[in-house]
Amino acid sequence: MRTGTRITVGITGHRELPEENIPAIAQGVRDCFAGLQNTRGDSAITVLSSLAEGADILCAKMAVDMGLRLAVPLPMSKTEYRRDFSESASREFDFLLSVADEVFTVLPEEAEPGHPSRGFYYRQAGIYIAKNCDVLLAVWDGEEEDNPEGAGTWETMKLAREFGKPIQIIDSYCAGS
C-alpha cells in the first residue's frame, strides 16, 4: 500500500457480539484503523458501513472517534431499515447517520426476484461493500456458514475474495486478528 493515497475499508460482521468481548473487539478495530493510518501516511481513509446492529455500528463508532470518513451504504430506506434495530441501536444508528460524510441507499446489483426478501437487500449492500472497498474488515466468529438469503458476514467475505480484496479479520470470540 502506498502512502498518500485514499483507501476504503469495508465493514462486515455479526449483529450479536459476545458482550464480554466487545472491549477487545473495539481495541482490535482501533488497532486495524491505526495500522492503516500509520502505513498510509496522510491518506484519506473512508469506512463503508451499513450500520447494522452489532459489528457494523461498533466499527463505525471507532471510525468516527478516530476522525475517519464514514460512508453509509444502506440496504433500504432509513425508515424501513430502522425496523430491524433495537431501541438503543436505533439511537446509535441515528447518531451515526447524522455524523456520516455520505449516506445513500444501494441500488441492487442483481436482478430483483418477484418478491424480494429483506435478505436480498442486505446482500446487495454486502455486494456493494465488497466491490467498493480496498480492504474488508470482518468481525467474524470463524463459522463458514452460508445464509440461505446470502446476506451474512461469511457471504460478504466470500464476495470480497471473489473481487480480489484483502480481508483483515477480528475474531469475535478471541478478539485476535
Side-chain angles (χ1 to χ4, degrees):
M1 291 189 226
R2 299 183 324 251
T3 60
T5 58
R6 296 184 179 276
I7 183 169
T8 300
V9 180
I11 303 297
T12 191
H14 299 294
R15 288 178 180 241
E16 294 180 18
L17 301 173
E19 191 69 33
E20 66 275 9
N21 291 352
I22 289 176
I25 293 168
Q27 186 60 53
V29 171
R30 264 192 231 82
D31 290 348
C32 177
F33 289 157
L36 289 169
Q37 286 177 312
N38 289 337
T39 60
R40 303 299 287 208
D42 63 350
S43 67
I45 298 174
T46 297
V47 173
L48 279 179
S49 173
S50 291
L51 302 182
E53 194 163 350
D56 284 13
I57 284 179
L58 177 68
C59 293
K61 288 191 314 192
M62 297 295 106
V64 168
D65 288 348
M66 295 178 72
L68 305 179
R69 186 174 184 279
L70 177 62
V72 181
L74 298 173
M76 56 196 73
S77 75
K78 290 180 252 186
T79 304
E80 184 62 28
Y81 190 36
R82 189 177 281 107
R83 290 183 28 203
D84 292 345
F85 291 81
S86 67
E87 189 176 322
S88 64
S90 188
R91 285 190 298 273
E92 291 177 314
F93 174 74
D94 289 337
F95 168 74
L96 289 165
L97 285 178
S98 76
V99 298
D101 296 281
E102 185 179 2
V103 178
F104 55 95
T105 302
V106 173
L107 296 175
E109 293 258 345
E110 300 171 321
E112 274 189 57
H115 298 287
S117 66
R118 293 179 85 73
F120 170 81
Y121 295 106
Y122 283 115
R123 177 175 167 78
Q124 302 317 298
I127 291 169
Y128 181 90
I129 288 171
K131 187 183 254 187
N132 290 284
C133 71
D134 295 306
V135 61
L136 184 71
L137 175 59
V139 179
W140 183 48
D141 63 8
E143 295 291 323
E144 296 180 3
E145 187 175 324
D146 287 323
N147 182 315
E149 295 182 351
T153 303
W154 174 240
E155 288 81 7
T156 303
M157 292 171 64
K158 290 192 312 188
L159 287 164
R161 284 189 187 105
E162 288 175 23
F163 293 127
K165 309 298 173 110
I167 301 171
Q168 293 212 354
I169 297 171
I170 296 176
D171 187 318
S172 63
Y173 284 98
C174 301
S177 51

